[in-house]
Structure formats: C-alpha cells, structure tokens
Amino acid sequence: MFTTALKPDGEIVSIPPSFIPTTWRWENFRTALAAMKFPILLKNTVTITGISLVGVLASSSLVAYPFARLRFPGKSWLFILVLSTTMLPYAVTMIPVYIVFAKLKWIDTFKPLTIPAFFGGGAFNIFLLRQFYMTIPRELDEAATMDGSGVLGVFWNVILPLARPGLTAVGIFTFIGHWNEFLIPLLYLNSRDKMTLAVGLNLFRDQYATQWNYLMAASLVVMLPCAVIFIVAQRYFVEGIALTGVKG
C-alpha cells in the first residue's frame, strides 16, 4: 500500500510489476487529500469519535460496576438480558431506530452518532468491563467501605484506577469502531460537509477507482491513526483482554 501510494501513474500497471517506485511521488498524498477534502472529513470524524469515546467509557464503566460488585435481586437475569442484545443484528433495529431519530429531527446531525453512546455504552463493553472488575480483590472494596467510602466512592477511588487496562481495551475497540464506521454515518448524514472519513474515502474510491496511487495514499492516511493508537496502547490492550477471562 505504501509503495503503491508513491508510484507515478504509469508505473502502477507496468509489467513486470515493481515493488520499489522508480520515482517517489510524495505529492500523491497532497493531491489525494485535497481531492477528498480531508480537513473537513477529519474534523467531523474526530468530533464524532471523541464524543462517542467519552460516552462509551463513562456509561459502560458505570453500568458494568453493579453487575460485578453489587448484590441486588434479578442481577443475573438482567445481565443475561443485556448480553442478549448482542444477538440482534443491526439490520433488525435499523429502521425503527431511524424512524425515532427522524421524529426527533436528528437526521443530518451528529446526534444519532454520538448521543446513544451515553446510554449504556454497548453490551460487549459492559461485559468486558464486568469481567475485568471481577478480577479486582473484594478486600479493597471492604477496606474502602470501612474508611467511609460509599458505593460510588469505591467505584471512583478503587475500581476505576485499577481498571485502566480494561478501560484502555474498551477505548481502543470504541475508537477503531467509530473511526472506521461506514453504515451509520452514511445512513444519517446527508450533507457533504458533515460526512466522515470512511464515507468520504468510499466516495473518493468511486471517483478515483482507476488511480490506485491516489486511492492507496488516501487509504493509508485514513488508517494511520488506528494503527498508531493500537501500537502505543498495545500493552494495556493485551493485558485488558487477557485479564477479562480470569473470572466468569
């Protein structure tokens, strides 16, 4: 992908094919990003991904806490009900949800892409954090309670600081999911100046399908933030995933 992005137009289809470009055309990146209006798409994607990331981390960490540490009637059945929502394919709920958002006049705004993140954060994220919370010794809760902390105090002062690997794993999943999300922005956003990078890259592909060097340059820039974040936070990500399987 990298070497193709730097090749001249005629070298893309040359026979025999060459791996190293004869001329390194760095201006391919400037041409591709200018054609797809990259700054506007980047601003929209960063806004949607950033707000959704805050919403998912805040709500899923809070919802997972009582399932892991508190005792209340029907907890197991309620948790099964939450997990069962992962079995519903998005195609089943897509039309009813769209009608609700249309009645709220949220179409062609960022609200359908960001506000739902603040209502639970997703069943998979709740499950992941609940499993991680269960690996934290309960003696820490009891010690904090004896020191005068309430339920929320234990959650804020004891659980959250120790759950950093689990929160990092959820954060990486959420960032990559929203950064690369294509169907939902395509469904709710109509204006060109509100589209995201995934939608903009698809339009760019339709426009420059035969110019692979430009297409590879644009694709490389779009995927770069996900690769960088995964590499930087890889240690926490692997630790978070590994520890979630310790207790069932």
mmCIF file of all heavy atoms in Angstrom, residues 106-153:
data_model
loop_
_atom_site.group_PDB
_atom_site.id
_atom_site.type_symbol
_atom_site.label_atom_id
_atom_site.label_comp_id
_atom_site.label_asym_id
_atom_site.label_seq_id
_atom_site.Cartn_x
_atom_site.Cartn_y
_atom_site.Cartn_z
ATOM 1 N N TRP A 106 -33.213 14.515 14.176
ATOM 2 C CA TRP A 106 -31.778 14.372 14.359
ATOM 3 C C TRP A 106 -31.056 13.999 13.061
ATOM 4 O O TRP A 106 -29.826 13.845 13.072
ATOM 5 C CB TRP A 106 -31.488 13.279 15.404
ATOM 6 C CG TRP A 106 -31.737 13.733 16.817
ATOM 7 C CD1 TRP A 106 -32.277 14.921 17.230
ATOM 8 C CD2 TRP A 106 -31.451 12.989 18.014
ATOM 9 N NE1 TRP A 106 -32.363 14.963 18.590
ATOM 10 C CE2 TRP A 106 -31.862 13.796 19.100
ATOM 11 C CE3 TRP A 106 -30.916 11.728 18.254
ATOM 12 C CZ2 TRP A 106 -31.733 13.364 20.417
ATOM 13 C CZ3 TRP A 106 -30.782 11.298 19.562
ATOM 14 C CH2 TRP A 106 -31.182 12.114 20.637
ATOM 15 N N ILE A 107 -31.811 13.785 11.955
ATOM 16 C CA ILE A 107 -31.174 13.379 10.697
ATOM 17 C C ILE A 107 -30.297 14.514 10.180
ATOM 18 O O ILE A 107 -30.666 15.686 10.266
ATOM 19 C CB ILE A 107 -32.252 13.001 9.652
ATOM 20 C CG1 ILE A 107 -33.170 11.916 10.221
ATOM 21 C CG2 ILE A 107 -31.586 12.526 8.362
ATOM 22 C CD1 ILE A 107 -32.462 10.645 10.641
ATOM 23 N N ASP A 108 -29.155 14.143 9.614
ATOM 24 C CA ASP A 108 -28.147 15.073 9.109
ATOM 25 C C ASP A 108 -27.518 15.911 10.230
ATOM 26 O O ASP A 108 -27.126 17.062 10.023
ATOM 27 C CB ASP A 108 -28.731 15.991 8.030
ATOM 28 C CG ASP A 108 -27.640 16.538 7.116
ATOM 29 O OD1 ASP A 108 -26.592 15.886 7.005
ATOM 30 O OD2 ASP A 108 -27.831 17.622 6.531
ATOM 31 N N THR A 109 -27.482 15.320 11.420
ATOM 32 C CA THR A 109 -26.731 15.906 12.537
ATOM 33 C C THR A 109 -25.854 14.805 13.145
ATOM 34 O O THR A 109 -26.002 13.621 12.817
ATOM 35 C CB THR A 109 -27.662 16.463 13.633
ATOM 36 O OG1 THR A 109 -28.310 15.363 14.299
ATOM 37 C CG2 THR A 109 -28.720 17.380 13.037
ATOM 38 N N PHE A 110 -24.957 15.207 14.038
ATOM 39 C CA PHE A 110 -24.082 14.227 14.684
ATOM 40 C C PHE A 110 -24.774 13.514 15.856
ATOM 41 O O PHE A 110 -24.193 12.586 16.434
ATOM 42 C CB PHE A 110 -22.817 14.911 15.199
ATOM 43 C CG PHE A 110 -21.903 15.400 14.107
ATOM 44 C CD1 PHE A 110 -20.901 16.317 14.380
ATOM 45 C CD2 PHE A 110 -22.035 14.936 12.814
ATOM 46 C CE1 PHE A 110 -20.049 16.767 13.370
ATOM 47 C CE2 PHE A 110 -21.205 15.384 11.789
ATOM 48 C CZ PHE A 110 -20.204 16.297 12.077
ATOM 49 N N LYS A 111 -25.984 13.933 16.216
ATOM 50 C CA LYS A 111 -26.636 13.385 17.413
ATOM 51 C C LYS A 111 -26.876 11.872 17.338
ATOM 52 O O LYS A 111 -26.618 11.162 18.319
ATOM 53 C CB LYS A 111 -27.956 14.120 17.661
ATOM 54 C CG LYS A 111 -27.768 15.572 18.062
ATOM 55 C CD LYS A 111 -29.101 16.272 18.251
ATOM 56 C CE LYS A 111 -28.887 17.737 18.618
ATOM 57 N NZ LYS A 111 -30.179 18.475 18.734
ATOM 58 N N PRO A 112 -27.368 11.316 16.207
ATOM 59 C CA PRO A 112 -27.571 9.844 16.182
ATOM 60 C C PRO A 112 -26.270 9.063 16.300
ATOM 61 O O PRO A 112 -26.276 7.890 16.663
ATOM 62 C CB PRO A 112 -28.214 9.605 14.804
ATOM 63 C CG PRO A 112 -28.744 10.913 14.376
ATOM 64 C CD PRO A 112 -27.831 11.938 14.964
ATOM 65 N N LEU A 113 -25.144 9.702 16.013
ATOM 66 C CA LEU A 113 -23.848 9.021 16.039
ATOM 67 C C LEU A 113 -23.124 9.179 17.365
ATOM 68 O O LEU A 113 -22.115 8.501 17.609
ATOM 69 C CB LEU A 113 -22.954 9.550 14.917
ATOM 70 C CG LEU A 113 -23.271 9.102 13.489
ATOM 71 C CD1 LEU A 113 -24.504 9.775 12.930
ATOM 72 C CD2 LEU A 113 -22.102 9.363 12.574
ATOM 73 N N THR A 114 -23.586 10.077 18.219
ATOM 74 C CA THR A 114 -22.869 10.346 19.469
ATOM 75 C C THR A 114 -23.720 10.124 20.726
ATOM 76 O O THR A 114 -23.248 9.510 21.688
ATOM 77 C CB THR A 114 -22.348 11.794 19.479
ATOM 78 O OG1 THR A 114 -23.455 12.693 19.249
ATOM 79 C CG2 THR A 114 -21.310 12.013 18.387
ATOM 80 N N ILE A 115 -24.951 10.621 20.731
ATOM 81 C CA ILE A 115 -25.767 10.575 21.961
ATOM 82 C C ILE A 115 -26.043 9.141 22.436
ATOM 83 O O ILE A 115 -25.998 8.876 23.650
ATOM 84 C CB ILE A 115 -27.068 11.372 21.754
ATOM 85 C CG1 ILE A 115 -26.732 12.865 21.651
ATOM 86 C CG2 ILE A 115 -28.062 11.121 22.881
ATOM 87 C CD1 ILE A 115 -27.932 13.775 21.470
ATOM 88 N N PRO A 116 -26.329 8.152 21.553
ATOM 89 C CA PRO A 116 -26.548 6.777 22.060
ATOM 90 C C PRO A 116 -25.371 6.209 22.848
ATOM 91 O O PRO A 116 -25.565 5.310 23.668
ATOM 92 C CB PRO A 116 -26.785 5.977 20.766
ATOM 93 C CG PRO A 116 -27.351 6.962 19.811
ATOM 94 C CD PRO A 116 -26.633 8.243 20.106
ATOM 95 N N ALA A 117 -24.175 6.722 22.632
ATOM 96 C CA ALA A 117 -23.008 6.212 23.365
ATOM 97 C C ALA A 117 -23.105 6.495 24.855
ATOM 98 O O ALA A 117 -22.436 5.821 25.660
ATOM 99 C CB ALA A 117 -21.734 6.841 22.805
ATOM 100 N N PHE A 118 -23.929 7.471 25.249
ATOM 101 C CA PHE A 118 -24.042 7.824 26.664
ATOM 102 C C PHE A 118 -25.109 7.002 27.384
ATOM 103 O O PHE A 118 -25.363 7.222 28.559
ATOM 104 C CB PHE A 118 -24.379 9.319 26.804
ATOM 105 C CG PHE A 118 -23.223 10.218 26.441
ATOM 106 C CD1 PHE A 118 -23.000 10.583 25.119
ATOM 107 C CD2 PHE A 118 -22.346 10.683 27.404
ATOM 108 C CE1 PHE A 118 -21.935 11.402 24.772
ATOM 109 C CE2 PHE A 118 -21.284 11.506 27.070
ATOM 110 C CZ PHE A 118 -21.070 11.860 25.747
ATOM 111 N N PHE A 119 -25.757 6.065 26.669
ATOM 112 C CA PHE A 119 -26.822 5.262 27.286
ATOM 113 C C PHE A 119 -26.393 3.793 27.349
ATOM 114 O O PHE A 119 -26.913 2.933 26.640
ATOM 115 C CB PHE A 119 -28.123 5.420 26.503
ATOM 116 C CG PHE A 119 -28.732 6.790 26.623
ATOM 117 C CD1 PHE A 119 -28.362 7.804 25.749
ATOM 118 C CD2 PHE A 119 -29.640 7.071 27.628
ATOM 119 C CE1 PHE A 119 -28.897 9.078 25.868
ATOM 120 C CE2 PHE A 119 -30.185 8.336 27.758
ATOM 121 C CZ PHE A 119 -29.816 9.341 26.882
ATOM 122 N N GLY A 120 -25.438 3.490 28.184
ATOM 123 C CA GLY A 120 -25.015 2.106 28.405
ATOM 124 C C GLY A 120 -23.643 1.803 27.853
ATOM 125 O O GLY A 120 -22.859 1.128 28.485
ATOM 126 N N GLY A 121 -23.354 2.274 26.668
ATOM 127 C CA GLY A 121 -22.024 2.059 26.090
ATOM 128 C C GLY A 121 -21.872 0.766 25.325
ATOM 129 O O GLY A 121 -20.765 0.472 24.857
ATOM 130 N N GLY A 122 -22.946 -0.021 25.198
ATOM 131 C CA GLY A 122 -22.848 -1.260 24.417
ATOM 132 C C GLY A 122 -22.684 -2.480 25.294
ATOM 133 O O GLY A 122 -21.910 -2.472 26.249
ATOM 134 N N ALA A 123 -23.417 -3.551 24.962
ATOM 135 C CA ALA A 123 -23.403 -4.775 25.775
ATOM 136 C C ALA A 123 -22.012 -5.416 25.813
ATOM 137 O O ALA A 123 -21.577 -5.921 26.856
ATOM 138 C CB ALA A 123 -24.428 -5.761 25.221
ATOM 139 N N PHE A 124 -21.297 -5.406 24.699
ATOM 140 C CA PHE A 124 -19.966 -6.027 24.676
ATOM 141 C C PHE A 124 -19.008 -5.297 25.619
ATOM 142 O O PHE A 124 -18.244 -5.932 26.355
ATOM 143 C CB PHE A 124 -19.417 -6.014 23.248
ATOM 144 C CG PHE A 124 -18.011 -6.531 23.145
ATOM 145 C CD1 PHE A 124 -17.744 -7.887 23.265
ATOM 146 C CD2 PHE A 124 -16.952 -5.654 22.954
ATOM 147 C CE1 PHE A 124 -16.437 -8.357 23.181
ATOM 148 C CE2 PHE A 124 -15.655 -6.118 22.863
ATOM 149 C CZ PHE A 124 -15.396 -7.480 22.988
ATOM 150 N N ASN A 125 -19.061 -3.979 25.624
ATOM 151 C CA ASN A 125 -18.182 -3.212 26.508
ATOM 152 C C ASN A 125 -18.547 -3.428 27.968
ATOM 153 O O ASN A 125 -17.664 -3.507 28.839
ATOM 154 C CB ASN A 125 -18.258 -1.726 26.153
ATOM 155 C CG ASN A 125 -17.736 -1.446 24.761
ATOM 156 O OD1 ASN A 125 -16.807 -2.107 24.305
ATOM 157 N ND2 ASN A 125 -18.329 -0.489 24.079
ATOM 158 N N ILE A 126 -19.849 -3.515 28.252
ATOM 159 C CA ILE A 126 -20.293 -3.790 29.628
ATOM 160 C C ILE A 126 -19.773 -5.158 30.081
ATOM 161 O O ILE A 126 -19.269 -5.310 31.198
ATOM 162 C CB ILE A 126 -21.832 -3.739 29.702
ATOM 163 C CG1 ILE A 126 -22.330 -2.314 29.429
ATOM 164 C CG2 ILE A 126 -22.325 -4.219 31.059
ATOM 165 C CD1 ILE A 126 -23.833 -2.209 29.275
ATOM 166 N N PHE A 127 -19.905 -6.150 29.199
ATOM 167 C CA PHE A 127 -19.404 -7.491 29.534
ATOM 168 C C PHE A 127 -17.897 -7.480 29.788
ATOM 169 O O PHE A 127 -17.401 -8.061 30.752
ATOM 170 C CB PHE A 127 -19.751 -8.445 28.387
ATOM 171 C CG PHE A 127 -19.087 -9.780 28.496
ATOM 172 C CD1 PHE A 127 -19.551 -10.740 29.387
ATOM 173 C CD2 PHE A 127 -17.983 -10.093 27.713
ATOM 174 C CE1 PHE A 127 -18.938 -11.974 29.500
ATOM 175 C CE2 PHE A 127 -17.359 -11.318 27.816
ATOM 176 C CZ PHE A 127 -17.842 -12.261 28.707
ATOM 177 N N LEU A 128 -17.165 -6.795 28.920
ATOM 178 C CA LEU A 128 -15.705 -6.758 29.033
ATOM 179 C C LEU A 128 -15.275 -6.131 30.360
ATOM 180 O O LEU A 128 -14.413 -6.659 31.075
ATOM 181 C CB LEU A 128 -15.127 -5.967 27.862
ATOM 182 C CG LEU A 128 -13.690 -6.255 27.453
ATOM 183 C CD1 LEU A 128 -13.563 -7.687 26.941
ATOM 184 C CD2 LEU A 128 -13.251 -5.287 26.361
ATOM 185 N N LEU A 129 -15.885 -5.012 30.726
ATOM 186 C CA LEU A 129 -15.508 -4.330 31.970
ATOM 187 C C LEU A 129 -15.998 -5.091 33.198
ATOM 188 O O LEU A 129 -15.316 -5.113 34.229
ATOM 189 C CB LEU A 129 -16.072 -2.905 31.956
ATOM 190 C CG LEU A 129 -15.366 -1.967 30.974
ATOM 191 C CD1 LEU A 129 -16.048 -0.615 30.938
ATOM 192 C CD2 LEU A 129 -13.898 -1.792 31.352
ATOM 193 N N ARG A 130 -17.166 -5.707 33.100
ATOM 194 C CA ARG A 130 -17.668 -6.510 34.228
ATOM 195 C C ARG A 130 -16.699 -7.643 34.526
ATOM 196 O O ARG A 130 -16.376 -7.914 35.698
ATOM 197 C CB ARG A 130 -19.050 -7.052 33.885
ATOM 198 C CG ARG A 130 -19.693 -7.887 34.975
ATOM 199 C CD ARG A 130 -19.752 -9.333 34.555
ATOM 200 N NE ARG A 130 -20.587 -10.118 35.446
ATOM 201 C CZ ARG A 130 -20.654 -11.441 35.383
ATOM 202 N NH1 ARG A 130 -19.950 -12.087 34.462
ATOM 203 N NH2 ARG A 130 -21.409 -12.119 36.220
ATOM 204 N N GLN A 131 -16.206 -8.310 33.487
ATOM 205 C CA GLN A 131 -15.242 -9.388 33.697
ATOM 206 C C GLN A 131 -13.951 -8.857 34.314
ATOM 207 O O GLN A 131 -13.348 -9.510 35.169
ATOM 208 C CB GLN A 131 -14.932 -10.067 32.359
ATOM 209 C CG GLN A 131 -16.111 -10.742 31.708
ATOM 210 C CD GLN A 131 -16.680 -11.841 32.581
ATOM 211 O OE1 GLN A 131 -17.719 -11.652 33.211
ATOM 212 N NE2 GLN A 131 -16.004 -12.967 32.645
ATOM 213 N N PHE A 132 -13.525 -7.676 33.903
ATOM 214 C CA PHE A 132 -12.289 -7.109 34.450
ATOM 215 C C PHE A 132 -12.472 -6.690 35.902
ATOM 216 O O PHE A 132 -11.597 -6.921 36.746
ATOM 217 C CB PHE A 132 -11.847 -5.914 33.615
ATOM 218 C CG PHE A 132 -10.450 -5.462 33.924
ATOM 219 C CD1 PHE A 132 -9.368 -6.029 33.265
ATOM 220 C CD2 PHE A 132 -10.202 -4.517 34.909
ATOM 221 C CE1 PHE A 132 -8.070 -5.644 33.566
ATOM 222 C CE2 PHE A 132 -8.917 -4.130 35.213
ATOM 223 C CZ PHE A 132 -7.849 -4.695 34.542
ATOM 224 N N TYR A 133 -13.623 -6.077 36.220
ATOM 225 C CA TYR A 133 -13.885 -5.668 37.612
ATOM 226 C C TYR A 133 -13.847 -6.867 38.550
ATOM 227 O O TYR A 133 -13.432 -6.761 39.716
ATOM 228 C CB TYR A 133 -15.247 -5.005 37.722
ATOM 229 C CG TYR A 133 -15.357 -3.644 37.064
ATOM 230 C CD1 TYR A 133 -16.602 -3.074 36.845
ATOM 231 C CD2 TYR A 133 -14.229 -2.938 36.661
ATOM 232 C CE1 TYR A 133 -16.720 -1.824 36.235
ATOM 233 C CE2 TYR A 133 -14.334 -1.711 36.051
ATOM 234 C CZ TYR A 133 -15.580 -1.150 35.843
ATOM 235 O OH TYR A 133 -15.689 0.071 35.242
ATOM 236 N N MET A 134 -14.295 -8.035 38.063
ATOM 237 C CA MET A 134 -14.360 -9.224 38.923
ATOM 238 C C MET A 134 -12.979 -9.763 39.261
ATOM 239 O O MET A 134 -12.842 -10.593 40.168
ATOM 240 C CB MET A 134 -15.202 -10.304 38.237
ATOM 241 C CG MET A 134 -16.682 -9.930 38.140
ATOM 242 S SD MET A 134 -17.673 -11.141 37.268
ATOM 243 C CE MET A 134 -17.676 -12.496 38.433
ATOM 244 N N THR A 135 -11.945 -9.329 38.545
ATOM 245 C CA THR A 135 -10.583 -9.765 38.878
ATOM 246 C C THR A 135 -9.969 -8.926 40.001
ATOM 247 O O THR A 135 -8.925 -9.286 40.537
ATOM 248 C CB THR A 135 -9.670 -9.656 37.635
ATOM 249 O OG1 THR A 135 -9.533 -8.288 37.263
ATOM 250 C CG2 THR A 135 -10.246 -10.441 36.461
ATOM 251 N N ILE A 136 -10.606 -7.809 40.345
ATOM 252 C CA ILE A 136 -10.085 -6.937 41.410
ATOM 253 C C ILE A 136 -10.511 -7.500 42.770
ATOM 254 O O ILE A 136 -11.699 -7.785 42.972
ATOM 255 C CB ILE A 136 -10.613 -5.498 41.221
ATOM 256 C CG1 ILE A 136 -10.148 -4.956 39.867
ATOM 257 C CG2 ILE A 136 -10.131 -4.595 42.355
ATOM 258 C CD1 ILE A 136 -10.747 -3.608 39.509
ATOM 259 N N PRO A 137 -9.599 -7.706 43.718
ATOM 260 C CA PRO A 137 -9.955 -8.304 45.024
ATOM 261 C C PRO A 137 -11.034 -7.500 45.756
ATOM 262 O O PRO A 137 -10.968 -6.275 45.826
ATOM 263 C CB PRO A 137 -8.624 -8.266 45.795
ATOM 264 C CG PRO A 137 -7.575 -8.225 44.740
ATOM 265 C CD PRO A 137 -8.151 -7.439 43.599
ATOM 266 N N ARG A 138 -12.012 -8.218 46.322
ATOM 267 C CA ARG A 138 -13.102 -7.556 47.048
ATOM 268 C C ARG A 138 -12.629 -6.946 48.368
ATOM 269 O O ARG A 138 -13.298 -6.091 48.938
ATOM 270 C CB ARG A 138 -14.230 -8.562 47.321
ATOM 271 C CG ARG A 138 -15.061 -8.882 46.089
ATOM 272 C CD ARG A 138 -16.264 -9.732 46.436
ATOM 273 N NE ARG A 138 -17.126 -9.896 45.278
ATOM 274 C CZ ARG A 138 -18.065 -9.036 44.928
ATOM 275 N NH1 ARG A 138 -18.261 -7.957 45.653
ATOM 276 N NH2 ARG A 138 -18.810 -9.260 43.869
ATOM 277 N N GLU A 139 -11.483 -7.413 48.857
ATOM 278 C CA GLU A 139 -10.960 -6.851 50.103
ATOM 279 C C GLU A 139 -10.702 -5.351 49.973
ATOM 280 O O GLU A 139 -10.788 -4.599 50.956
ATOM 281 C CB GLU A 139 -9.650 -7.561 50.496
ATOM 282 C CG GLU A 139 -9.818 -8.991 50.986
ATOM 283 C CD GLU A 139 -10.051 -9.978 49.858
ATOM 284 O OE1 GLU A 139 -9.933 -9.564 48.682
ATOM 285 O OE2 GLU A 139 -10.366 -11.145 50.153
ATOM 286 N N LEU A 140 -10.386 -4.905 48.760
ATOM 287 C CA LEU A 140 -10.160 -3.478 48.546
ATOM 288 C C LEU A 140 -11.456 -2.691 48.726
ATOM 289 O O LEU A 140 -11.453 -1.586 49.278
ATOM 290 C CB LEU A 140 -9.591 -3.248 47.138
ATOM 291 C CG LEU A 140 -8.212 -3.870 46.859
ATOM 292 C CD1 LEU A 140 -7.808 -3.646 45.409
ATOM 293 C CD2 LEU A 140 -7.171 -3.262 47.793
ATOM 294 N N ASP A 141 -12.581 -3.280 48.269
ATOM 295 C CA ASP A 141 -13.890 -2.637 48.471
ATOM 296 C C ASP A 141 -14.194 -2.511 49.961
ATOM 297 O O ASP A 141 -14.629 -1.460 50.452
ATOM 298 C CB ASP A 141 -14.997 -3.451 47.808
ATOM 299 C CG ASP A 141 -14.813 -3.556 46.308
ATOM 300 O OD1 ASP A 141 -13.665 -3.537 45.857
ATOM 301 O OD2 ASP A 141 -15.818 -3.655 45.590
ATOM 302 N N GLU A 142 -13.944 -3.627 50.689
ATOM 303 C CA GLU A 142 -14.255 -3.640 52.123
ATOM 304 C C GLU A 142 -13.386 -2.636 52.880
ATOM 305 O O GLU A 142 -13.866 -1.953 53.793
ATOM 306 C CB GLU A 142 -14.045 -5.051 52.662
ATOM 307 C CG GLU A 142 -14.986 -6.087 52.038
ATOM 308 C CD GLU A 142 -14.581 -7.509 52.387
ATOM 309 O OE1 GLU A 142 -13.563 -7.681 53.085
ATOM 310 O OE2 GLU A 142 -15.281 -8.426 51.937
ATOM 311 N N ALA A 143 -12.122 -2.533 52.486
ATOM 312 C CA ALA A 143 -11.240 -1.576 53.155
ATOM 313 C C ALA A 143 -11.692 -0.140 52.895
ATOM 314 O O ALA A 143 -11.705 0.705 53.810
ATOM 315 C CB ALA A 143 -9.803 -1.775 52.661
ATOM 316 N N ALA A 144 -12.094 0.140 51.662
ATOM 317 C CA ALA A 144 -12.564 1.486 51.333
ATOM 318 C C ALA A 144 -13.878 1.800 52.042
ATOM 319 O O ALA A 144 -14.099 2.931 52.503
ATOM 320 C CB ALA A 144 -12.740 1.610 49.824
ATOM 321 N N THR A 145 -14.749 0.785 52.174
ATOM 322 C CA THR A 145 -16.017 0.975 52.870
ATOM 323 C C THR A 145 -15.785 1.273 54.347
ATOM 324 O O THR A 145 -16.447 2.128 54.952
ATOM 325 C CB THR A 145 -16.907 -0.269 52.713
ATOM 326 O OG1 THR A 145 -17.107 -0.526 51.322
ATOM 327 C CG2 THR A 145 -18.256 -0.069 53.385
ATOM 328 N N MET A 146 -14.825 0.551 54.962
ATOM 329 C CA MET A 146 -14.505 0.794 56.378
ATOM 330 C C MET A 146 -13.923 2.193 56.586
ATOM 331 O O MET A 146 -14.059 2.785 57.659
ATOM 332 C CB MET A 146 -13.502 -0.261 56.866
ATOM 333 C CG MET A 146 -14.101 -1.661 56.955
ATOM 334 S SD MET A 146 -12.904 -2.883 57.490
ATOM 335 C CE MET A 146 -12.582 -2.342 59.153
ATOM 336 N N ASP A 147 -13.299 2.728 55.522
ATOM 337 C CA ASP A 147 -12.753 4.094 55.613
ATOM 338 C C ASP A 147 -13.813 5.155 55.367
ATOM 339 O O ASP A 147 -13.507 6.362 55.388
ATOM 340 C CB ASP A 147 -11.625 4.272 54.588
ATOM 341 C CG ASP A 147 -10.367 3.539 55.011
ATOM 342 O OD1 ASP A 147 -10.258 3.211 56.215
ATOM 343 O OD2 ASP A 147 -9.512 3.273 54.141
ATOM 344 N N GLY A 148 -15.059 4.711 55.089
ATOM 345 C CA GLY A 148 -16.140 5.669 54.950
ATOM 346 C C GLY A 148 -16.596 5.927 53.537
ATOM 347 O O GLY A 148 -17.456 6.796 53.310
ATOM 348 N N SER A 149 -16.063 5.209 52.553
ATOM 349 C CA SER A 149 -16.479 5.426 51.167
ATOM 350 C C SER A 149 -17.824 4.763 50.900
ATOM 351 O O SER A 149 -18.089 3.654 51.386
ATOM 352 C CB SER A 149 -15.437 4.860 50.195
ATOM 353 O OG SER A 149 -14.223 5.567 50.298
ATOM 354 N N GLY A 150 -18.676 5.409 50.134
ATOM 355 C CA GLY A 150 -19.931 4.808 49.712
ATOM 356 C C GLY A 150 -19.728 3.987 48.441
ATOM 357 O O GLY A 150 -18.601 3.747 48.011
ATOM 358 N N VAL A 151 -20.852 3.579 47.825
ATOM 359 C CA VAL A 151 -20.771 2.750 46.619
ATOM 360 C C VAL A 151 -20.048 3.490 45.495
ATOM 361 O O VAL A 151 -19.148 2.952 44.846
ATOM 362 C CB VAL A 151 -22.189 2.341 46.181
ATOM 363 C CG1 VAL A 151 -22.141 1.613 44.843
ATOM 364 C CG2 VAL A 151 -22.826 1.452 47.234
ATOM 365 N N LEU A 152 -20.445 4.735 45.250
ATOM 366 C CA LEU A 152 -19.804 5.500 44.189
ATOM 367 C C LEU A 152 -18.360 5.863 44.541
ATOM 368 O O LEU A 152 -17.509 5.975 43.661
ATOM 369 C CB LEU A 152 -20.611 6.771 43.889
ATOM 370 C CG LEU A 152 -21.963 6.541 43.219
ATOM 371 C CD1 LEU A 152 -22.684 7.874 43.009
ATOM 372 C CD2 LEU A 152 -21.796 5.816 41.893
ATOM 373 N N GLY A 153 -18.098 6.046 45.846
ATOM 374 C CA GLY A 153 -16.729 6.335 46.272
ATOM 375 C C GLY A 153 -15.801 5.170 46.002
ATOM 376 O O GLY A 153 -14.655 5.354 45.557
#
